[in-house]
Every structure is written in C-alpha cells, then in structure tokens.
Amino acid sequence: MRQLVSTGSPFEKAAGYSRAVADGPWCFVSGTTGYDYATMTMPDDVSAQAENAMATIARALGEAGFSMSDVVRVRYIVTDAAYADPVFSVVGRWLADIRPAATMIIAGLIRPEMKIEIEATAFRNSA
C-alpha cells in the first residue's frame, strides 16, 4: 500500500513531491536539505544543516513505519568538497552501525543557503 509522507514544507506542495513515499517494504526519502521545518530557518553551518536533514529523514521514515536501521542507501550532495569531513562526522553518528551504501556528490543546489542535501532509501526486511 502506497503511503505519502509530508513535512508540511511549502516546497513539497509547490514542486509536487512528497518527503517520502513508502510502498511495501520500500521507503524512498526525497532529497532533504538542512531546514528546520518547525521554524523554516536554515542554519549557516553545514554540520547543523546535516543534522537537521538527518533528523527530518528519521522523522519521515518513522511516520512511514520504518526506522533508520532500515536504511540501505544514502546519497549526499554537498556544494563544496571541503564540507565532506564535517558532514561525515554528523552522518557517521547516525549511520555508523547501519552502514548503508553511500555516494557523495559535489554540485550546486537550488538556493544559495543550502550546503547539503541528503536522500535515503530504506528496505524493511520481514524475514
């Protein structure tokens, strides 16, 4: 059964997407930036942005009935290679015991204040 998860972000409605889509044993979390969706503010620090993104991903997974331990794939997009180490220190705390497949890409993002975007794929193994 397909389930759509929203954070209530105005971006989701404007662009026509869901924060996450769960279907059967799979959950796909859209690219998530570092906004604090409660205040719609973006911290300047890439580590704080990464922390916010991971917390948003964890909440979306939880709302869909998944957990961080179900994450099998993550993709990190950062706007500067210098952000890799600060980001790794944050995501490492979240994922060190889970160890999903991962890719980091250096690319521009759609707003200048955005320094990182993270997407995740989770699989719930019922066996």
Side-chain angles (χ1 to χ4, degrees), residues 9 11 17 19 30-37 40-43 48-57 59 77 109-111 113-119:
S9 162
F11 302 123
Y17 73 95
R19 173 62 46 214
S30 294
T32 304
T33 61
Y35 279 102
D36 174 338
Y37 288 107
M40 281 310 293
T41 59
M42 174 77 76
Q49 288 188 25
E51 188 68 41
N52 284 352
M54 292 302 291
T56 299
I57 290 166
R59 281 191 301 276
I77 303 162
L109 295 174
I110 64 171
R111 303 208 182 221
E113 66 270 19
M114 295 174 177
K115 295 179 178 173
I116 185 167
E117 186 168 354
I118 304 171
E119 65 179 51

Side-chain angles (χ1 to χ4, degrees), residues 3-123:
Q3 177 185 358
L4 306 179
V5 175
S6 175
T7 60
S9 162
F11 302 123
E12 294 168 22
K13 182 146 179 91
Y17 73 95
S18 295
R19 173 62 46 214
V21 176
D23 198 344
W26 292 97
C27 187
F28 303 91
V29 182
S30 294
T32 304
T33 61
Y35 279 102
D36 174 338
Y37 288 107
T39 63
M40 281 310 293
T41 59
M42 174 77 76
D44 186 56
D45 178 65
V46 71
S47 295
Q49 288 188 25
E51 188 68 41
N52 284 352
M54 292 302 291
T56 299
I57 290 166
R59 281 191 301 276
L61 287 169
E63 191 172 326
F66 290 76
S67 71
M68 289 299 289
S69 65
D70 295 318
V71 173
V72 295
R73 180 87 167 106
V74 290
R75 199 167 284 115
Y76 310 107
I77 303 162
V78 294
T79 58
D80 189 318
Y83 296 150
D85 286 338
V87 165
F88 290 153
S89 70
V90 172
V91 299
R93 281 188 284 103
W94 285 86
L95 300 170
D97 294 332
I98 301 162
R99 307 225 7 227
T103 301
M104 181 173 276
I105 301 165
I106 312 304
L109 295 174
I110 64 171
R111 303 208 182 221
E113 66 270 19
M114 295 174 177
K115 295 179 178 173
I116 185 167
E117 186 168 354
I118 304 171
E119 65 179 51
T121 302
F123 179 78

